[in-house]
Amino acid sequence: MAASEQEILAGLAEIVNEETGIDASSVQSDKSFTDDLDIDSLSMMTIVVNAEEKFGVRIPDEEVKNLVTVGDAVNYIKNAQA
């Protein structure tokens, strides 16, 4: 069963918190991974791998660069589950 946007956001926030120590409540849909949350490319790749495992989706490396905001990632995961 596919996760809702809210469930995906909560799951991503948990993954970001585990990887970076950023408070999960700071991980909002409109936040940029690099500009607002200060996540570097290595941490981003770890977040992507963990999200793939958690949500059972595949996020190709060439798609990762298009995931600028948390909302972009939520939408990608939601569509990939469909």
Side-chain angles (χ1 to χ4, degrees), residues 4-80:
S4 71
E5 283 185 37
Q6 202 55 43
E7 290 168 329
I8 295 169
L9 179 59
L12 271 178
E14 190 179 296
I15 292 167
V16 169
N17 174 261
E18 289 170 6
E19 173 63 21
T20 65
I22 294 168
D23 192 282
S25 64
S26 299
V27 183
Q28 301 295 323
S29 291
D30 62 339
K31 299 287 187 188
S32 162
F33 285 109
T34 53
D35 297 337
D36 297 321
L37 301 175
D38 200 29
I39 294 174
D40 64 26
S41 58
L42 184 60
S43 292
M44 187 64 183
M45 291 312 297
T46 303
I47 290 164
V48 165
V49 168
N50 290 337
E52 286 177 327
E53 290 174 8
K54 182 174 188 73
F55 298 108
V57 297
R58 175 88 180 93
I59 305 172
D61 292 346
E62 60 271 11
E63 286 295 327
V64 174
K65 69 181 181 304
N66 298 324
L67 306 180
V68 177
T69 66
V70 175
D72 293 340
V74 168
N75 288 329
Y76 187 91
I77 291 167
K78 185 169 189 257
N79 291 330

